């Protein structure tokens, strides 16, 4: 028996990356801004999106891709608000892969849209690993979790282009240290914007929507230049 | 347990590369993978996933060897470069948090070691 070593140097996310690139091409061509909401189960991602609906009206035309392991409950919640929505079922996987997202994305009438919101499967680890071709991963963290979450999930908070802290209206009932949380985010990813919202009370959403509109404008303008 | 999802990508890529080896080897002995520290892979979990995912494949019985690269950063303020300790992304010289990661996100198949006829 003789052994032989074959050098390869191949990116292991290659197959996912192929589909992520297709999505990047499509959203660049259609001048869409695409976000990927990532947070723990129960962090308030769907409620945030529900609350965004009325604020986005007249500002950005949008569609939502809802990722879940099972059930169409989240898509039904948004459908009830007349939102263009597709439910993506990961079939047990803890994250969305680029191929599934791409297939659902191109089913939308993209010329009629400015913004694509992907709500990933509730999980703070796997979705941070898988690029789906989005412009920005957004970390969603509620005040009912720990202020040390940014330190416990550094890849997510490092990859994120912004953080949305949710359920701020519950702060008086909790021991959550908001300033410590802000400091922890800064230690992992200095300089990213942090939006603090209370979706149920309709508070703090405006700044978040304004940021999305600014990002979308930048995407549209850079597309015009090239 | 993101090791399982990552390992699915490893096995898929390795199967393609192994099928390309010419002349066809008798079997795969070892697979070398390099991963940056940001992926926070637990080597034991990755190895277990590898055994399960390759059990019915041409890769069955091969060993997965994982090399983890430490996370390195460069400071935007003072240009320091060096290793950082997760989860704090901070300059080792001027303590600024304004740093860029220059190593630690890698995830690649490095080599295959095969038994040739």
């Amino acid at each position: 028996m003789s052994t032989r070593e074959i050098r390869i140097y191949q990116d292991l996310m290659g197959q996912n990356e192929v589909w992520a690139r297709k999505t990047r091409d499509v959203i660049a061509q259609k001048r869409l801004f695409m976000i990927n909401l990532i947070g723990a189960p129960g962090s308030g991602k769907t409620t945030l999106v529900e609350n965004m609906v009325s604020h986005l009206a007249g500002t950005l035309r949008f569609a939502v891709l809802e990722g879940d392991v099972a059930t169409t409950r989240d898509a039904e919640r948004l459908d009830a608000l007349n939102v263009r929505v597709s439910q993506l079922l990961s079939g047990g996987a803890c994250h969305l892969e680029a191929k599934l997202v791409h297939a659902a994305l191109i089913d939308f009438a993209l010329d009629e849209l400015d913004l694509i919101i992907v709500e990933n499967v509730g999980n703070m680890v796997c979705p941070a690993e898988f690029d789906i071709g989005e412009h920005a991963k957004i970390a969603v963290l509620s005040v009912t979790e720990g202020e040390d979450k940014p330190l416990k999930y550094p890849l997510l908070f490092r990859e994120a282009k912004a953080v949305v802290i949710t359920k701020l209206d519950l702060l008086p009932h909790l021991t959550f240290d908001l300033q410590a949380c802000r400091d922890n985010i800064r230690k992992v990813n200095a300089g990213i914007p942090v939006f603090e919202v209370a979706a149920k009370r309709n508070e703090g959403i405006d700044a978040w929507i304004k940021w999305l509109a600014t990002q979308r404008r930048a995407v549209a303008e850079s597309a015009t230049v090239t | 347990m993101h090791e399982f999802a990552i390992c699915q990508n490893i096995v898929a890529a390795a199967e393609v590369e192994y099928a390309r080896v010419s002349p066809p080897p008798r079997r795969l002995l070892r697979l070398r993978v390099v991963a940056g520290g940001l992926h926070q892979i637990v080597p034991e979990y990755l190895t277990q996933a590898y055994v399960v995912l390759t059990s019915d494949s041409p890769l069955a019985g091969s060993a997965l060897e994982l090399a983890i690269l430490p996370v390195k950063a460069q400071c935007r303020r003072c240009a320091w470069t060096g290793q950082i300790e997760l989860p704090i992304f901070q300059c080792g010289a001027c303590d600024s948090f304004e740093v860029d990661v220059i190593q630690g996100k890698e995830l690649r198949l490095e080599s295959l070691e095969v038994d040739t006829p």
Side-chain angles (χ1 to χ4, degrees):
Chain A
M1 157 175 147
S2 65
T3 63
R4 184 177 147 215
E5 186 170 16
I6 301 145
R7 310 293 285 179
I8 293 174
Y9 301 114
Q10 197 206 67
D11 178 11
L12 280 169
M13 290 299 180
Q15 197 49 42
N16 191 66
E17 184 54 31
V18 167
W19 291 98
R21 200 176 306 130
K22 285 178 201 257
T23 289
R24 269 194 289 275
D25 289 346
V26 168
I27 61 176
Q29 191 197 345
K30 301 291 183 186
R31 300 179 185 188
L32 301 168
F33 185 62
M34 178 169 162
I35 60 170
N36 181 4
L37 299 176
I38 302 176
S43 57
K45 298 182 293 300
T46 312
T47 301
L48 175 68
V49 176
E50 280 177 327
N51 190 256
M52 287 165 65
V53 172
S54 60
H55 292 261
L56 284 167
T59 306
L60 294 170
R61 301 167 299 168
F62 68 101
V64 182
L65 294 171
E66 273 294 336
D68 275 299
V69 169
T71 84
T72 55
R73 296 179 70 97
D74 283 359
E76 286 162 22
R77 281 170 63 178
L78 293 169
D79 185 59
L81 301 173
N82 294 317
V83 170
R84 281 175 270 206
V85 58
S86 284
Q87 180 76 52
L88 306 181
L89 296 180
S90 68
C94 50
H95 60 277
L96 292 175
E97 294 203 7
K99 187 177 180 178
L100 181 63
V101 171
H102 185 80
L105 175 73
I106 58 175
D107 270 350
F108 285 123
L110 298 176
D111 289 324
E112 298 168 10
L113 297 171
D114 306 308
L115 173 70
I116 301 290
I117 302 168
V118 180
E119 182 186 333
N120 218 307
V121 179
N123 183 320
M124 301 182 88
V125 182
C126 298
E129 294 277 357
F130 286 82
D131 185 5
I132 55 169
E134 75 283 74
H135 289 102
K137 291 184 175 69
I138 309 294
V140 180
L141 168 68
S142 68
V143 297
T144 54
E145 303 167 50
E147 56 274 327
D148 50 4
K149 277 261 176 95
L151 303 179
K152 288 181 171 174
Y153 300 92
L155 181 65
L156 169 59
F157 286 87
R158 185 68 202 177
E159 292 283 300
K161 297 283 197 296
V163 178
V164 179
I165 304 179
T166 60
K167 310 187 191 182
L168 264 283
D169 48 323
L170 296 180
L171 266 185
H173 311 287
L174 305 165
T175 55
F176 185 88
D177 185 338
L178 187 57
Q179 189 53 48
C181 185
R182 293 177 190 135
D183 291 344
N184 288 336
I185 293 168
R186 196 169 67 89
K187 286 174 188 170
V188 176
N189 200 347
I192 59 167
V194 178
F195 301 97
E196 297 167 5
V197 308
K200 293 277 188 191
R201 290 204 183 156
N202 221 4
E203 290 168 5
I205 301 287
D206 288 338
W208 162 236
I209 299 290
K210 197 174 162 192
W211 183 82
L212 290 172
T214 305
Q215 300 299 312
R216 195 274 160 174
R217 207 174 307 125
V219 166
E221 281 167 8
S222 70
T224 312
V225 172
T226 56
Chain B
M1 198 52 198
H2 65 314
E3 287 80 3
F4 201 87
I6 289 171
C7 198
Q8 284 178 314
N9 286 268
I10 293 176
V11 171
E15 281 180 347
V16 170
E17 294 300 329
Y18 181 66
R20 274 190 199 157
V21 179
S22 177
R26 273 199 285 256
R27 65 189 187 97
L28 178 67
L29 300 172
R30 196 176 304 277
L31 187 69
R32 291 200 170 85
V33 168
V34 169
L38 261 178
H39 296 287
Q40 296 191 297
I41 292 173
V42 180
E44 294 76 22
Y45 291 171
L46 193 72
T47 310
Q48 285 169 17
Y50 187 75
V51 170
V52 172
L53 289 167
T54 57
S55 60
D56 284 327
S57 87
L59 314 184
S62 59
L64 176 66
E65 199 177 286
L66 175 70
I68 294 179
L69 298 177
V71 181
K72 288 185 179 171
Q74 177 166 37
C75 180
R76 281 181 224 157
R77 293 222 171 145
C78 75
W80 170 89
T81 63
Q83 194 172 326
I84 57 167
E85 291 304 320
L86 288 186
I88 312 290
F89 292 72
Q90 187 171 26
C91 174
C94 75
D95 290 344
S96 165
F97 291 111
E98 291 175 28
V99 296
D100 296 311
V101 171
I102 55 173
Q103 177 181 288
K105 289 186 175 181
E106 299 77 2
L107 197 54
R108 64 172 187 262
L109 192 56
E110 193 91 330
S111 70
L112 304 177
E113 193 178 302
V114 297
D115 177 4
T116 55

